[in-house]
Amino acid sequence: MADRLTKYSGLTTKVRAMKNKLLTEDQYLEMSRLNTVADFVSYLQNIPAYSEVLKDVNPHIAHRGEIESRMRFSAYEDFSKLYHFTGISEKKALLVYFMKYEVHILKIIIREIMDSRSIDIKDNTANKHFRRYSNCDIAKLLTSNNMEEFVENLAGSIYYKPMKVILSMENPSLFDYEMNLDLFYFRYLWKHKEEFIPKGELPLFEKLFASRIDLLNLLWIYRSKKYFVVPNSEIYSFLIPVYYKISQNEIKQMVESDSDEEILDLIKNTHYGSFYDIDVTENLGSQFEEILTGIYLDIFKSNPYSVTCISAYFMLKNTEVSKIVMEMECIRYGYPSTKTMEIINRKRGVL
């Protein structure tokens, strides 16, 4: 413990200082009372955490996609601050989180190629720090006119082979590419975790990461069964082959369930359903996000001098960004302040 205290005292202090700058409930309430998206964007431009990524945005003509992308990129700015502050072992751990933002950028470019619904990300991705850490040539990827060019422009990166597999499919969809990127991200980090995480802290990382995988698998099974007509064999292909508090047999029972009622009963009887008293009549995604946030914060509180402080901060940061994006949407639709606050307080974040 003494070694960890010495090793992580500076990092923990830095993370706590950044955590204290996250938006307060009073600020969310104040924003919910704004009348227009332009007012909302102007408000954010005066918040230190978002002033830099929004500095060249005209609040009166900015659209949702642009603001959302820039807001999510602000988490990368926090990554960059921490990266320059940490030692060698912590830098390796931070690259785990950088990979998440790298995948996010790849998805934006794919969406632009396949359905032109994303935004111009040239200014953000030209950031010198992103170029330094990424093993992808983002500038080159931005010149891709189709998915064939995009995949070939990934040559030399860890994403080339998994994207090549999808490209070889017959008429692959946007969903196929995005899902495969997500699956690759989780599988890659789980397989290579010893390369990123200090040996003595692997149990903490495994608890955090495996809990997230468990809950994602539950969510993907539930949504595939309820909202999409997906063959069971295809559902299995979407799942991450890591089993922490959910057994393979429980997964099999849920995938092969015949009704919404059956799968909800199975979820309720899992470790997460019983331990956290999941209400299957309410939004499962929001409850899973709340569970995961609680797990992250509990581990951070009991192990503050470890790389888990990084995990906890980025969980809170991503939750904040999701709530801001949702609040902007509520203002765009003219919702009253009370309804907006009710909605964003259900919007916990992203798994």
Side-chain angles (χ1 to χ4, degrees):
M1 180 64 184
D3 289 343
R4 283 193 191 179
L5 179 61
T6 301
K7 182 178 181 180
Y8 291 115
S9 59
L11 175 63
T12 300
T13 300
K14 178 71 172 177
V15 169
R16 283 178 171 162
M18 293 171 68
K19 177 177 174 289
N20 289 336
K21 293 180 181 178
L22 294 174
L23 295 176
T24 65
E25 192 69 9
D26 285 343
Q27 286 175 303
Y28 284 118
L29 180 59
E30 192 173 349
M31 289 191 293
S32 74
R33 292 169 175 162
L34 298 173
N35 296 317
T36 67
V37 171
D39 291 339
F40 185 81
V41 174
S42 295
Y43 185 98
L44 289 173
Q45 287 175 322
N46 289 301
I47 300 292
Y50 301 109
S51 58
E52 182 65 23
V53 294
L54 296 175
K55 68 179 180 180
D56 58 345
V57 173
N58 184 333
H60 299 284
I61 60 175
H63 56 81
R64 180 189 185 279
E66 179 182 16
I67 300 303
E68 179 175 359
S69 182
R70 286 174 180 258
M71 295 302 297
R72 297 204 181 281
F73 202 81
S74 71
Y76 165 69
E77 295 293 332
D78 288 350
F79 159 86
S80 190
K81 292 174 187 175
L82 286 175
Y83 190 89
H84 288 292
F85 186 80
T86 56
I88 294 174
S89 61
E90 300 98 297
K91 279 181 167 60
K92 288 182 180 179
L94 271 169
L95 290 176
V96 172
Y97 304 99
F98 176 76
M99 188 176 173
K100 179 177 182 179
Y101 300 115
E102 190 173 53
V103 167
H104 171 66
I105 294 298
L106 294 181
K107 285 183 180 181
I108 291 177
I109 299 173
I110 292 172
R111 290 170 197 161
E112 175 65 23
I113 292 170
M114 297 192 73
D115 66 6
S116 299
R117 66 176 182 174
S118 76
I119 54 91
D120 185 356
I121 58 173
K122 292 182 176 59
D123 289 341
N124 282 338
T125 53
N127 183 292
K128 64 180 180 180
H129 301 304
F130 197 97
R131 291 202 309 268
R132 181 184 304 167
Y133 310 134
S134 180
N135 65 8
C136 300
D137 188 338
I138 300 296
K140 189 175 182 181
L141 289 168
L142 284 165
T143 68
S144 306
N145 295 307
N146 51 54
M147 287 308 299
E148 288 77 10
E149 287 185 13
F150 175 82
V151 172
E152 287 308 311
N153 286 336
L154 282 171
S157 77
I158 59 175
Y159 305 103
Y160 178 70
K161 287 184 178 179
M163 289 292 96
K164 188 80 170 177
V165 170
I166 302 301
L167 183 64
S168 67
M169 293 169 51
E170 184 177 355
N171 299 319
S173 66
L174 176 62
F175 174 82
D176 293 323
Y177 284 107
E178 292 196 339
M179 175 61 77
N180 201 52
L181 272 174
D182 286 333
L183 291 175
F184 174 75
Y185 165 77
F186 286 106
R187 289 168 176 165
Y188 182 88
L189 289 184
W190 188 255
K191 181 179 179 180
H192 297 276
K193 56 185 181 292
E194 291 87 357
E195 299 172 21
F196 300 107
I197 305 300
K199 186 176 181 180
E201 297 178 51
L202 270 173
L204 297 176
F205 174 81
E206 289 171 351
K207 181 176 181 180
L208 293 173
F209 205 66
S211 296
R212 187 181 179 196
I213 289 172
D214 273 350
L215 292 168
L216 275 172
N217 280 341
L218 285 182
L219 197 58
W220 284 341
I221 294 171
Y222 173 71
R223 288 177 174 171
S224 294
K225 301 289 285 188
K226 184 173 178 64
Y227 300 112
F228 308 102
V229 182
V230 181
N232 289 349
S233 59
E234 193 169 337
I235 294 176
Y236 282 118
S237 72
F238 294 158
L239 303 180
I240 305 162
V242 174
Y243 310 98
Y244 181 55
K245 296 293 185 180
I246 306 291
S247 69
Q248 285 182 272
N249 184 56
E250 287 177 299
I251 292 290
K252 183 175 184 293
Q253 287 181 313
M254 284 183 275
V255 171
E256 298 180 8
S257 62
D258 295 322
S259 66
D260 290 348
E261 292 75 15
E262 183 180 354
I263 192 172
L264 289 173
D265 283 342
L266 290 168
I267 289 173
K268 194 170 184 179
N269 289 320
T270 63
H271 162 79
Y272 299 97
S274 57
F275 188 83
Y276 294 99
D277 195 24
I278 289 175
D279 184 348
V280 294
T281 66
E282 297 293 331
N283 184 287
L284 289 180
S286 294
Q287 292 181 80
F288 289 173
E289 289 159 0
E290 188 170 2
I291 289 169
L292 192 60
T293 299
I295 292 171
Y296 272 57
L297 293 179
D298 285 345
I299 290 181
F300 176 45
K301 288 176 183 177
S302 58
N303 299 272
Y305 299 104
S306 69
V307 293
T308 58
C309 67
I310 301 172
S311 303
Y313 175 74
F314 281 114
M315 171 61 73
L316 294 173
K317 178 69 175 185
N318 290 331
T319 296
E320 176 173 283
V321 170
S322 293
K323 290 175 71 172
I324 288 172
V325 171
M326 181 59 68
E327 188 162 21
M328 180 174 64
E329 281 295 277
C330 290
I331 290 172
R332 187 163 76 89
Y333 286 112
Y335 291 166
S337 174
T338 50
K339 184 174 182 179
T340 296
M341 293 301 292
E342 179 184 344
I343 290 172
I344 68 165
N345 283 325
R346 291 202 308 264
K347 184 68 177 177
R348 299 294 178 182
V350 285
L351 290 176

